[in-house]
């Protein structure tokens, strides 16, 4: 099939922006800095970079290639490709696992994205102007402690996501990412310069991010680094496979994937370079957890000249980065509903958005009325969704995708998708996809669950 029935990206550049739009999101700006902060900084960053380039990039190439070869939702693409390759039909499980992970991630992602939208208005209102650390912390706990407020913003964000998803590939997604991704990048670079000049603690922030300290880096940190690599690149759940289905023929997959990984990594590191100097300048804890972006950044903006406007703009862009990621999470399920149940795209988007909204209530409650409730031992509803989807399902999905593409897919199909790539790159890729990536994922899994 040369085109997908769901629509197509208008060019390779638009594909790169769309996948970068999916990849760059809360995972980079909100999650990466606090996760790195909780796991010892520099040692974590090294583990994370290794996971991105040795495991993430090959799996991303595999996902895009499978998607473009199948041109359908991940569930049906996997079914078709397994049949064409004479492989077991059960490989479809990759598509199903992905759809489940998509719901789980979208559900809690929408809650945090809702906070970002709320903070956009808080910044604009000027409440943070001149604020100190205590005020910023109190503001955050007061906000997340109010169940109605948190549910309200979660609902609004899910509505927006559903609306854009319903408008489809071209009019919804492509239009959004075309303008917002470059803008986000420019703003982050500006912020890094600002942090470097005005915090007075840039070196301390940098050395936290890049110095090799192992004291807080545990076996579980390795699993978290792997989970973060999958999460930040949107891998292991078919979102990139779904996007690959809309990639025009002839566009190079390998160079696109490398570009996307580099962009995504740059945004994560730049976010860390903004946040950590500010954390140290104000005597805050780098391991503050999910509140890091919502406490330290408002505080910093409150102290800088023009911070009200700049901060508003920052949270506006974080919100849009979150939206372009959120839409990709539902895409595998929406595309499947359209193909299999023959509903319209609008109905498909409403079903997916509605179910994810419902599941998201549990995460919204974790910060207030269910703050004492645990699902997995020691983990709230929110933490459980986060842990199971990012650290278990995504790496497992990535493991299966690497195995399938490397060993069970008719290799003629893969070769066709990688046409134009130099021989040596293909050889390297085969080793990474067939051996290194699956073995790394497997070892990290065994280490965590046995040790
Ligand atoms: N990559 C996104 C981020 O870093 O915020 C999160 C994400 C998007 C995960 C899409 C999974 C996904 F399918």
């Amino acid at each position: 099939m040369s085109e997908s029935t769901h629509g197509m990206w208008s060019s390779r550049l638009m594909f790169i922006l769309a996948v970068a739009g999916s990849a760059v999101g809360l995972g980079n700006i909100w999650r990466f800095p606090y996760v790195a902060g909780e796991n010892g900084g520099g040692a974590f960053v090294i583990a994370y970079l290794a996971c991105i380039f040795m495991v993430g990039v090959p799996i991303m190439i595999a996902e895009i290639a499978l998607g473009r070869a199948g041109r359908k939702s991940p569930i049906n693409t996997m079914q078709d490709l397994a049949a064409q390759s004479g492989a077991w039909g059960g490989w479809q499980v990759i598509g199903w696992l992905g759809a489940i992970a998509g719901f789980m991630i979208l559900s809690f992602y929408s809650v945090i994205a809702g906070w970002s939208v709320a903070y956009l208005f808080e910044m604009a209102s000027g409440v943070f102007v001149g604020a100190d650390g205590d005020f910023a912390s109190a503001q955050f706990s007061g906000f997340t402690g109010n169940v109605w407020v948190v549910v309200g913003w979660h609902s609004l964000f899910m509505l927006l996501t559903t609306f854009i998803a319903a408008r489809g590939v071209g009019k919804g997604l492509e239009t959004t990412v075309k303008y917002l991704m470059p803008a986000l990048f420019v703003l982050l670079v500006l912020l890094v310069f600002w942090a470097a000049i005005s915090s007075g603690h840039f070196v301390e922030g940098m050395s936290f991010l890049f110095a090799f300290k192992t004291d807080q880096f545990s076996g579980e940190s390795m699993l978290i680094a792997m989970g973060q690599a999958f999460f930040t690149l949107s891998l292991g759940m078919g979102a990139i496979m779904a996007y690959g289905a809309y990639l025009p023929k002839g566009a190079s997959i390998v160079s696109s994937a490398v570009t996307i990984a580099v962009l995504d990594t740059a945004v994560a590191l730049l976010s860390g370079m903004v946040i950590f100097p500010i954390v140290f300048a104000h005597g805050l804890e780098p391991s503050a957890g999910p509140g890091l972006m919502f406490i330290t950044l408002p505080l910093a903006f409150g102290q800088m000249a023009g911070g009200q406007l700049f901060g508003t703009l920052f949270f506006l862009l974080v919100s849009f980065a979150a939206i372009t990621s959120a839409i990709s999470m539902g895409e595998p399920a929406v595309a499947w509903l359209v193909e299999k149940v023959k509903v319209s795209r609008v109905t498909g988007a409403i079903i997916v958005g509605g179910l994810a909204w419902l599941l998201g209530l549990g995460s919204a409650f974790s910060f207030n009325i269910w703050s004492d409730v645990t699902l997995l031992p020691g983990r709230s509803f929110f933490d459980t969704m986060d842990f199971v989807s990012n650290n278990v399902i995504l790496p497992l999905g990535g493991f299966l995708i690497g195995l399938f593409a490397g060993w069970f897919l008719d290799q003629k199909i893969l070769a066709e998708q990688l046409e134009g790539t130099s021989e040596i790159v293909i050889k390297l890729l085969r080793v990474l996809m067939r051996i290194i990536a699956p073995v790394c994922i497997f070892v990290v899994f065994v280490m965590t669950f046995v040790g």
Side-chain angles (χ1 to χ4, degrees):
M1 240 187 293
S2 66
E3 300 233 327
S4 158
T5 53
H6 301 286
M8 296 290 286
W9 306 114
S10 62
S11 65
R12 172 174 173 260
L13 178 66
M14 286 304 132
F15 168 74
I16 291 181
L17 284 185
V19 179
S22 167
V24 172
L26 297 172
N28 307 63
I29 308 167
W30 161 73
R31 199 168 188 274
F32 170 78
Y34 92 74
V35 169
E38 284 178 339
N39 291 281
F44 178 85
V45 173
I46 291 170
Y48 165 79
L49 290 178
C51 291
I52 292 274
F53 289 98
M54 281 168 55
V55 180
V57 170
I59 301 293
M60 179 178 277
I61 291 170
E63 275 205 36
I64 301 172
L66 294 176
R68 189 166 70 177
R71 291 270 189 234
K72 287 188 186 163
S73 68
I75 295 172
N76 287 329
T77 283
M78 286 309 303
Q79 188 179 30
D80 290 358
L81 294 180
Q84 283 167 31
S85 307
W88 178 51
W91 282 106
Q92 228 194 87
V93 73
I94 291 175
W96 288 105
L97 263 181
I100 293 168
F103 275 109
M104 290 173 76
I105 297 176
L106 182 55
S107 74
F108 74 79
Y109 203 83
S110 168
V111 173
I112 308 295
W115 297 358
S116 309
V117 183
Y119 264 63
L120 155 70
F121 290 100
E122 297 229 336
M123 290 290 343
S125 76
V127 291
F128 288 106
V129 174
D132 61 11
D134 289 344
F135 176 83
S137 304
Q139 189 75 7
F140 179 69
S141 36
F143 168 76
T144 52
N146 187 329
V147 60
W148 292 107
V149 172
V150 174
V151 169
W153 289 109
H154 161 55
S155 311
L156 184 80
F157 183 82
M158 198 64 92
L159 260 176
L160 272 172
T161 305
T162 307
F163 176 75
I164 300 176
R167 284 176 65 86
V169 177
K171 279 199 201 129
L173 261 188
E174 189 166 311
T175 311
T176 313
V177 299
K178 188 154 77 182
Y179 299 104
L180 292 170
M181 295 317 292
L184 178 72
F185 200 74
V186 170
L187 202 78
L188 257 182
V189 173
L190 283 178
L191 277 164
V192 173
F193 277 111
W194 173 78
I197 293 163
S198 63
S199 72
H201 287 69
F202 193 67
V203 174
E204 206 179 330
M206 283 283 100
S207 78
F208 179 76
L209 205 50
F210 295 110
F212 192 78
K213 284 195 278 14
T214 48
D215 45 336
Q216 282 172 43
F217 190 85
S218 61
E220 191 175 320
S221 302
M222 197 59 227
L223 183 76
I224 294 173
M226 179 81 84
Q228 175 65 14
F230 275 95
F231 182 74
T232 193
L233 293 176
S234 310
L235 295 177
M237 56 148 283
I240 302 302
M241 205 187 285
Y243 274 17
Y246 316 145
L247 175 63
K249 231 176 138 208
S252 160
I253 293 179
V254 175
S255 63
S256 304
V258 173
T259 309
I260 292 156
V262 169
L263 273 177
D264 185 80
T265 304
V267 173
L269 292 177
L270 288 175
S271 300
M273 288 182 208
V274 174
I275 292 182
F276 290 120
I278 297 168
V279 168
F280 292 118
H282 295 276
L284 297 166
E285 274 303 312
S287 56
L292 195 58
M293 184 177 91
F294 295 96
I295 297 169
T296 61
L297 277 190
L299 170 66
F301 286 123
Q303 312 236 327
M304 72 197 267
Q308 193 175 342
L309 174 71
F310 217 38
T312 307
L313 221 50
F314 177 83
F315 278 99
L316 178 72
L317 292 169
V318 173
S319 305
F320 279 119
I323 281 182
T324 58
S325 298
I327 301 155
S328 70
M329 292 167 201
E331 188 62 28
V334 173
W336 181 79
L337 283 171
V338 171
E339 285 164 12
K340 187 78 182 179
V341 190
K342 308 266 187 267
V343 295
S344 70
R345 181 141 184 130
V346 174
T347 309
I350 292 173
I351 294 173
V352 171
L355 289 176
W357 176 81
L358 208 61
L359 189 63
L361 291 179
S363 292
F365 296 163
S366 295
F367 298 92
N368 35 69
I369 54 175
W370 283 4
S371 58
D372 294 332
V373 174
T374 52
L375 268 190
L376 286 179
R379 293 181 206 270
S380 66
F381 191 98
F382 172 87
D383 289 338
T384 304
M385 289 293 134
D386 180 49
F387 181 81
V388 172
S389 55
N390 299 348
N391 298 336
V392 181
I393 305 186
L394 296 189
L396 181 65
F399 176 74
L400 294 174
I401 288 167
L403 275 193
F404 179 77
W407 297 96
F408 295 91
L409 177 73
D410 179 348
Q411 293 297 301
K412 279 207 297 285
I413 296 178
L414 189 63
E416 209 175 85
Q417 292 302 325
L418 299 181
E419 218 173 56
T421 310
S422 75
E423 219 21 65
I424 178 138
V425 173
I426 300 234
K427 280 209 179 105
L428 176 70
L429 202 59
R430 280 178 74 84
V431 177
L432 287 170
M433 202 184 280
R434 306 183 95 189
I435 300 164
I436 309 279
V439 168
C440 285
I441 302 171
F442 187 75
V443 168
V444 171
F445 257 127
V446 172
M447 259 167 40
T448 315
F449 292 107
V450 176

